[in-house]
Amino acid sequence: KAGVTQTPRYLIKTRGQQVTLSCSPISGHRSVSWYQQTPGQGLQFLFEYFSETQRNKGNFPGRFSGRQFSNSRSEMNVSTLELGDSALYLCASSLEYSRLGDNEQFFGPGTRLTVL
Amino acid sequence: GQQVMQIPQYQHVQEGEDFTTYCNSSTTLSNIQWYKQRPGGHPVFLIQLVKSGEVKKQKRLTFQFGEAKKNSSLHITATQTTDVGTYFCAGPIRAGNNRKLIWGLGTSLAVNP
């Protein structure tokens, strides 16, 4: 089975621009979560999608948004980029949605975003 | 706010020595997960602990979940160079109808051969 794939792997943008990142979960997985990873803040939860609906949300500003399609693929969008948005953006998929948050998550390789 | 603290931040050991990382939550967790991230890689799920006082072993790795379900530890016996990486703990925090997975900052393990 193919793992979680993320595109693009690397991205360089300038302040004020917007960016869209894509995530394809493992075949059959229906829950997708997004994380931002930086050296100082570690892994921070952005949001989780299941059945095309956002189920949970982290503490990020409205510039960060996402969506999930009927085939479980997900995209996240960051508008009006700031220097502090430079990070590794990780997508993780799980088989199903769990209210307890006890699902094993399978991570993709991430998208390294640099904002200049 | 609710957080998960992990110590130590870094650990340097000689190959063959033992290693332990500790995770402490400010709130009771329904479960705790451990992940390993190799340098340049992505987090890989190691294990999940659910029950109070639970102990699980995976070869040289021993995971414990505290009785109060607020702390956890990962112990590696006789480290090998393949153990190099950052070990993260993560637990779900619920706020109303919203749930998010809170991660510790990780413990980076370096092993000298």
Side-chain angles (χ1 to χ4, degrees):
Chain A
K1 229 181 216 183
V4 178
T5 58
Q6 291 187 247
T7 56
R9 292 292 310 278
Y10 303 91
L11 206 48
I12 299 176
K13 292 283 187 180
T14 56
R15 277 183 301 173
Q17 287 187 308
Q18 75 161 18
V19 68
T20 299
L21 311 181
S22 181
C23 171
S24 292
I26 290 173
S27 177
H29 283 200
R30 301 202 293 156
S31 176
V32 173
S33 297
W34 287 89
Y35 294 88
Q36 181 195 65
Q37 186 174 30
T38 57
Q41 299 294 319
L43 274 144
Q44 292 194 286
F45 172 74
L46 281 153
F47 25 65
E48 178 181 12
Y49 284 87
F50 177 77
S51 287
E52 303 176 63
T53 303
Q54 187 180 90
R55 300 299 175 126
N56 295 292
K57 189 178 185 307
N59 300 329
F60 279 80
R63 300 185 297 108
F64 291 81
S65 63
R67 59 178 176 166
Q68 186 180 36
F69 301 95
S70 58
N71 61 358
S72 295
R73 191 177 70 83
S74 178
E75 288 181 348
M76 69 162 278
N77 184 278
V78 188
S79 63
T80 320
L81 284 167
E82 300 176 0
L83 294 178
D85 296 333
S86 293
L88 179 67
Y89 289 88
L90 292 161
C91 162
S93 76
S94 299
L95 195 57
E96 293 289 342
Y97 175 73
S98 166
R99 288 191 303 109
L100 294 178
D102 58 357
N103 277 343
E104 175 179 351
Q105 295 188 86
F106 296 81
F107 282 83
T111 294
R112 174 77 60 186
L113 172 65
T114 303
V115 182
L116 303 175
Chain B
Q2 296 159 325
Q3 54 185 340
V4 172
M5 306 295 292
Q6 209 173 334
I7 56 170
Q9 191 175 358
Y10 303 99
Q11 185 82 58
H12 240 112
V13 300
Q14 283 295 129
E15 191 171 20
E17 291 182 339
D18 292 356
F19 159 78
T20 305
T21 172
Y22 301 91
C23 185
N24 294 291
S25 169
S26 59
T27 187
T28 302
L29 300 170
S30 60
N31 67 84
I32 195 161
Q33 299 178 7
W34 285 90
Y35 290 79
K36 175 184 178 182
Q37 185 173 21
R38 293 183 187 273
H42 55 272
V44 175
F45 177 84
L46 292 176
I47 208 158
Q48 177 181 263
L49 305 169
V50 178
K51 299 177 185 174
S52 168
E54 189 169 16
V55 177
K56 285 188 176 180
K57 292 191 176 185
Q58 288 180 351
K59 297 183 181 178
R60 295 179 294 104
L61 278 61
T62 301
F63 303 84
Q64 293 189 354
F65 201 9
E67 293 292 339
K69 300 183 77 173
K70 294 178 75 172
N71 55 71
S72 181
S73 65
L74 157 59
H75 179 83
I76 302 178
T77 304
T79 54
Q80 299 175 358
T81 54
T82 53
D83 296 325
V84 165
T86 301
Y87 293 85
F88 294 96
C89 61
I93 304 292
R94 182 165 282 280
N97 289 327
N98 194 43
R99 172 195 36 82
K100 52 186 180 180
L101 204 60
I102 303 294
W103 293 68
L105 289 179
T107 297
S108 292
L109 173 63
V111 179
N112 293 331

